[in-house]
Amino acid sequence: NPINIESLSSWIVNHSSPVLQSLIFGGEGRSTQDEHWLQERMHVKQFGFGQSNPTYLLIITNLPHGNDALKVVLRRKPNKIAHPSSHALHIEFRVLESLLRYNKQLKQQQQQQQAFDKSVPIPTPYAYCKDETILGAEFYLMEFVQGRIFVDPRMTSIGSKEERTEAFKDALRVMANIHNVPWWLIGLEKHGGRASGKDKTNPTYIERQLQRLLQITSKQSQLMKGSDKHDVKKVEKSIRQIAQVLSQHASQCPNPFGLLHGDFKIDNLIFHPTEPRVIAVLDWELSTMGDGYCDLANFCMMYFMPSIEKGWGVAGLGDMKLEGTGILTRPEVVSSYCQYHDKARQGNEHLTTRTNVSRAADYNEAMAWAGFYLSFLFFKNCVIVQGVAQRASIGVASSAAASKVAGLLPEMVRLTKHILKEFP
């Protein structure tokens, strides 16, 4: 997925945001000479992660205002997309813009030393490009946040178990903050589907998700190249069987309502370089309005996945003894989330009378429905991994690890069936 530096430089000079232009050029006006100047100083490196959307680091050197270099992240859609709702970078960018406004409002309202921090740390979004002729697909630019990304949730590079505990808890604090964002006040009134009832005319979030994901898996199966058609149909059939079981309970699930991240997990967080706290949440393309227990279950999937040494290409805690490590157990994760959720919603209860928006997270409820939500999230990730496999089969995979991740699909389906059967 090479980047056309000449085309990108021209777009940044002529069409990107004043904020980004100021970071690069200072306060001077732009000219056509700046395009050539920027092209000579821009270096591009593709990140190894990012199974869905190709992600790049732009390094701009020898800046005119004295700084050594500016680092900017570019996120781009793949050239070929199986379903129109996939790879929704425009949604990701809109959410980042809204959360940036929200954080600025909080900063004005709160005295940080006295109040619970309700902010949602994010990279600053700079500019979005809808013109596919620039780089062959839509893309956007955002701030590069310097910090630690833990691909392995064991966080072995953290020195003490106390700091590991604090890192896990801060991740859950941020998750609870996301679910309590007053979305109707920050420009997200039209974000995602907002139905929150429990009947056929007003389906739950998971009912709507099941229908959409089944459409996606069918399309991905049709686009799969170079694979045994029998195996493709077998996987699709298994995915549909899982969805059928989930649909029997989806209308009765708790269905709390709020802003969702959509893929909240340890390796989508950037932690401070030396402190056990989250300084940015990444990868918002799956964000929507819906059931917050889905983000919680997504976070808890790692407790059922094997360690990175098992060769899955993704890391989990499923075969690890947690005692003495500082890593929270799954019940402790749920308990901490509920406590932070209660703190985050304090002061917001009066802001709306919308159904399910201001309801508190309940530990007993969350644990009672844990098996259902875990099964749904594993089902959802089966569809996502199927998408990675489909893109790898036609040569448009978004990262170097795509083929390895794609090979997980049969095992993911098996694990999903196991959780569906063994957990209440």
Side-chain angles (χ1 to χ4, degrees), residues 17 24 131 148 185 198 222 243 314 402:
S17 70
I24 297 173
D131 186 352
R148 296 175 292 175
L185 299 178
K198 294 186 177 182
Q222 294 170 14
V314 291

Side-chain angles (χ1 to χ4, degrees), residues 195-331:
S196 59
K198 294 186 177 182
D199 55 61
K200 291 182 179 180
T201 60
N202 201 14
T204 65
Y205 167 73
I206 289 184
E207 285 181 298
R208 290 184 284 115
Q209 282 284 294
L210 287 171
Q211 182 178 8
R212 189 181 73 89
L213 290 168
L214 284 174
Q215 293 172 354
I216 292 174
T217 191
S218 294
K219 184 66 174 178
Q220 289 174 165
S221 295
Q222 294 170 14
L223 293 175
M224 195 81 75
K225 302 293 183 182
S227 302
D228 186 290
K229 291 297 182 182
H230 175 73
D231 290 342
V232 171
K233 289 294 183 182
K234 184 178 180 181
V235 168
E236 183 185 357
K237 182 179 179 181
S238 295
I239 290 175
R240 288 189 173 278
Q241 289 174 341
I242 295 168
Q244 186 176 14
V245 176
L246 290 170
S247 65
Q248 296 173 6
H249 308 283
S251 64
Q252 302 302 317
C253 67
N255 199 44
F257 190 71
L259 176 65
L260 294 190
H261 176 270
D263 193 20
F264 197 95
K265 54 184 180 177
I266 290 292
D267 60 353
N268 273 336
L269 307 175
I270 300 179
F271 287 82
H272 187 276
T274 60
E275 300 173 13
R277 60 183 176 90
V278 178
I279 58 174
V281 182
L282 305 177
D283 203 1
W284 292 83
E285 67 166 296
L286 298 178
S287 176
T288 187
M289 302 303 305
D291 189 332
Y293 286 145
C294 289
D295 274 349
L296 182 59
N298 195 84
F299 188 84
C300 289
M301 286 176 65
M302 61 184 167
Y303 292 94
F304 297 85
M305 305 286 283
S307 62
I308 199 166
E309 289 83 5
K310 298 295 183 182
W312 278 37
V314 291
L317 301 169
D319 51 4
M320 179 181 179
K321 292 183 179 180
L322 301 182
E323 186 177 357
T325 65
I327 296 174
L328 301 184
T329 64
R330 190 165 62 89

Side-chain angles (χ1 to χ4, degrees), residues 394-415:
I394 61 175
V396 294
S398 300
S399 82
S403 296
K404 193 169 189 177
V405 173
L408 294 178
L409 187 54
E411 188 63 25
M412 287 287 288
V413 171
R414 184 200 65 77
L415 182 56

Side-chain angles (χ1 to χ4, degrees), residues 50-95:
Q51 304 300 338
S52 182
N53 296 293
T55 304
Y56 305 84
L57 176 64
L58 311 181
I59 304 175
I60 304 168
T61 58
N62 299 320
L63 299 175
H65 42 79
N67 293 335
D68 292 335
L70 174 68
K71 294 182 178 180
V72 177
V73 174
L74 184 151
R75 293 262 287 165
R76 190 185 76 172
K77 289 186 179 182
N79 294 331
K80 297 180 181 180
I81 295 176
H83 193 275
S85 64
S86 303
H87 315 283
L89 285 188
H90 60 292
I91 292 178
E92 180 167 291
F93 188 79
R94 183 173 69 237
V95 172

